[in-house]
Amino acid sequence: MKILVLNAGSSSQKSCLYEIADEALPTQAPQPLWEGKVNWTQDKGVAEVEVKTATGAKLQESIPGDSPQAHLTYMLNTLTRDVTKVINQLSEIDLVGHRVVHGGQDYRESVVITEDVKKAIANLSNLAPEHNPSALAGIEAIENILEKVTQVAVFDTAFHSTLPDAVAIYPGPYEWVDQGIRRYGFHGISHQYCSGRAAQILGKDLASLRLITCHLGNGCSLAAVKNGRSIDTSMGFTPLEGLMMGSRSGSIDPGILIHLLRYCDYSIKKLDYILNKTSGLRGISDISSDMREVTKAIAQGNTRAKLAWDMYVHRLRSGIGAMLTSLGGLDALVFTAGVGENSPGIRQAACEALGFLGLKIDLEKNQQQPVDEDIATDDSAVRVLVIHTKEDWAIAQQSWQLLK
Ligand code: ADP
């Protein structure tokens, strides 16, 4: 069976094609036959299309035009032509899985996309304005290209639909609950994938494990996973709550917002921009939202970069502490995504605060670019895992399972 995955970002559409036997899912992620990406971050009116295949063929082109649908169609057509050809016709695709960031209260698991599901995704756009509309654009582009194919929506919020009410409801007026103002949590596809993979690496049953998964990318979130279910997480109504991130503030006193609106002539637009785009590592360091740049600046003696690092670590440790008390114990701490997978310094700093649990990180293993590995010492009371998150594979798996 050939499954196409589309992963819509705010300014890009990533895609890949998997081939999976009809009978059973492989236990580990296979390499995709083909991977494509359309980037709209450069000049308006031009899209950068990048494609690579499992056999090493590569293509990179700038495609003019203002229609994202046309750009997407162009990228998908590379599946059947020239050096990047991996199938004869697009009609060979059996199933298409989409990452949809917000599923609201109604979508607690993956669903086959119908007109009603599309309407719901559109209606939830005001809760995820940067993401849900692009997912919808991807769904409609596929409808135009492959009329009859089954499409599945896999929601980033779904994994957290098991949050208990005491965790999910904000201590505002109770009417907020009826208005849908509650904690949804995000990065669920990654937290779920990493939980399953952690159990595999440890050779344990997921149903017996207490895990904290740290998804530290541009956006950062934690999840407390007990017996395979998310029971607490750091992001909330929007992906702005919780940890300090690349360019997002994470949690701040809501009184600051009232103060800025009342006394500092802030508009809603400006507030939105500042909290999402110019805060976090970028805002404090004044260097970059990229942890690599911040780390370089620290090595050059930049004190603002050092402050940004210290704040990031402090908030990460506090967040882990909160997840720990929700779980009431810990079997493994899992690091994933750009920073989690690639920054030994952040992993070490987070782990140092957990020594009182008997958690001991092996400093040598931590430095050796671990991938899907346990980096705790043999005598550590808690395992520490570094897992390469595979959201696209998780989407393909869930789509396959739904169809079966
Ligand atoms: P996204 O959240 O957009 O999916 P990623 O998970 O790819 O992003 O994470 C991107 C971030 O990962 C970068 O902004 C950078 O801060 C961080 N990163 C990538 N490589 C490294 C590295 N070698 N050391 C430290 N941080 C890294």
Side-chain angles (χ1 to χ4, degrees):
M1 177 186 289
K2 295 193 179 67
I3 306 182
L4 183 74
V5 173
L6 266 87
N7 186 338
S10 50
S11 58
S12 69
Q13 268 278 4
K14 289 188 222 160
S15 180
C16 61
L17 184 74
Y18 289 102
E19 181 156 31
I20 306 173
D22 284 358
E23 310 77 47
L25 279 173
T27 50
Q28 287 202 32
Q31 192 185 3
L33 296 180
W34 168 100
E35 291 168 82
K37 184 174 180 186
V38 187
N39 234 323
W40 289 285
T41 43
Q42 307 295 324
D43 299 333
K44 244 189 153 353
V46 180
E48 304 295 330
V49 175
E50 284 173 47
V51 176
K52 64 179 180 185
T53 69
T55 53
K58 283 190 180 151
L59 175 148
Q60 197 163 6
E61 281 178 40
S62 297
I63 311 299
D66 285 321
S67 156
Q69 281 231 3
H71 297 145
L72 205 52
T73 307
Y74 184 92
M75 174 181 76
L76 294 175
N77 279 329
T78 68
L79 281 158
T80 60
R81 69 171 174 81
D82 304 329
V83 286
T84 58
K85 175 175 172 172
V86 290
I87 50 178
N88 291 318
Q89 312 172 29
L90 292 177
S91 59
E92 287 173 40
I93 296 169
D94 300 289
L95 185 59
V96 182
H98 295 266
R99 170 174 175 238
V100 180
V101 164
H102 219 305
Q105 305 208 67
D106 293 335
Y107 293 99
R108 302 170 71 88
E109 47 195 43
S110 305
V111 286
V112 170
I113 296 171
T114 60
E115 283 306 311
D116 282 347
V117 173
K118 276 168 54 186
K119 266 188 221 144
I121 294 171
N123 288 339
L124 287 162
S125 287
N126 57 358
L127 298 187
E130 300 219 346
H131 292 91
N132 270 29
S134 355
L136 205 54
I139 292 166
E140 284 167 355
I142 296 291
E143 280 175 348
N144 290 337
I145 304 166
L146 291 163
E147 241 174 77
K148 291 206 176 74
V149 78
T150 303
Q151 301 201 68
V152 172
V154 181
F155 299 98
D156 244 338
T157 45
F159 183 54
H160 301 298
S161 66
T162 48
L163 293 183
D165 279 352
V167 175
I169 297 175
Y170 285 104
Y174 191 80
E175 295 89 85
W176 281 5
V177 177
D178 300 327
Q179 292 168 29
I181 299 178
R182 47 166 286 152
R183 307 185 64 237
Y184 291 99
F186 297 89
H187 292 143
I189 300 168
S190 174
H191 288 297
Q192 186 172 19
Y193 170 79
C194 289
S195 306
R197 186 77 184 110
Q200 251 182 1
I201 295 168
L202 296 171
K204 295 256 171 74
D205 184 358
L206 181 57
S208 70
L209 290 173
R210 294 161 303 178
L211 306 169
I212 296 175
T213 47
C214 310
H215 180 108
L216 308 175
N218 285 313
C220 302
S221 71
L222 304 175
V225 183
K226 193 173 192 175
N227 309 335
R229 292 156 71 89
S230 170
I231 60 161
D232 201 353
T233 191
S234 59
M235 283 181 169
F237 179 60
T238 71
L240 200 47
E241 190 178 342
L243 301 176
M244 176 169 167
M245 313 184 204
S247 65
R248 280 177 243 164
S249 62
S251 293
I252 58 168
D253 178 354
I256 297 171
L257 311 184
I258 300 169
H259 174 85
L260 293 172
L261 290 169
R262 185 178 282 153
Y263 299 115
C264 303
D265 203 22
Y266 268 52
S267 64
I268 293 168
K269 197 173 164 193
K270 183 172 171 186
L271 207 50
D272 185 0
Y273 183 75
I274 287 183
L275 294 174
N276 279 295
K277 305 284 186 206
T278 66
S279 296
L281 287 177
R282 169 173 289 153
I284 297 298
S285 70
D286 200 26
I287 300 278
S288 170
S289 61
D290 191 318
M291 187 60 90
R292 285 165 291 198
E293 299 301 321
V294 173
T295 312
K296 259 191 237 158
I298 294 172
Q300 290 159 2
N302 185 308
T303 52
R304 289 263 299 270
K306 177 70 171 62
L307 174 64
W309 169 281
D310 289 344
M311 288 169 61
Y312 186 97
V313 168
H314 167 70
R315 283 167 176 255
L316 176 57
R317 287 171 169 177
S318 310
I320 292 173
M323 296 299 125
L324 197 56
T325 49
S326 286
L327 285 172
L330 185 63
D331 297 303
L333 180 67
V334 179
F335 290 97
T336 192
V339 177
E341 292 173 36
N342 297 299
S343 174
I346 288 294
R347 291 194 296 260
Q348 185 179 335
C351 288
E352 272 168 0
L354 298 168
F356 70 95
L357 292 175
L359 180 152
K360 292 186 207 158
I361 185 172
D362 182 323
L363 295 177
E364 217 168 289
K365 282 188 189 161
N366 183 38
Q367 290 293 337
Q368 290 165 350
Q369 297 173 339
V371 181
D372 291 10
E373 263 181 67
D374 184 349
I375 58 163
T377 59
D378 290 345
D379 64 342
S380 173
V382 176
R383 308 321 302 164
V384 180
L385 305 178
V386 181
I387 296 181
H388 175 45
T389 191
K390 291 189 175 151
E391 288 164 304
D392 290 343
W393 171 238
I395 294 167
Q397 273 180 314
Q398 291 197 29
S399 305
W400 185 94
Q401 276 156 350
L402 195 66
L403 200 74
K404 292 284 153 188

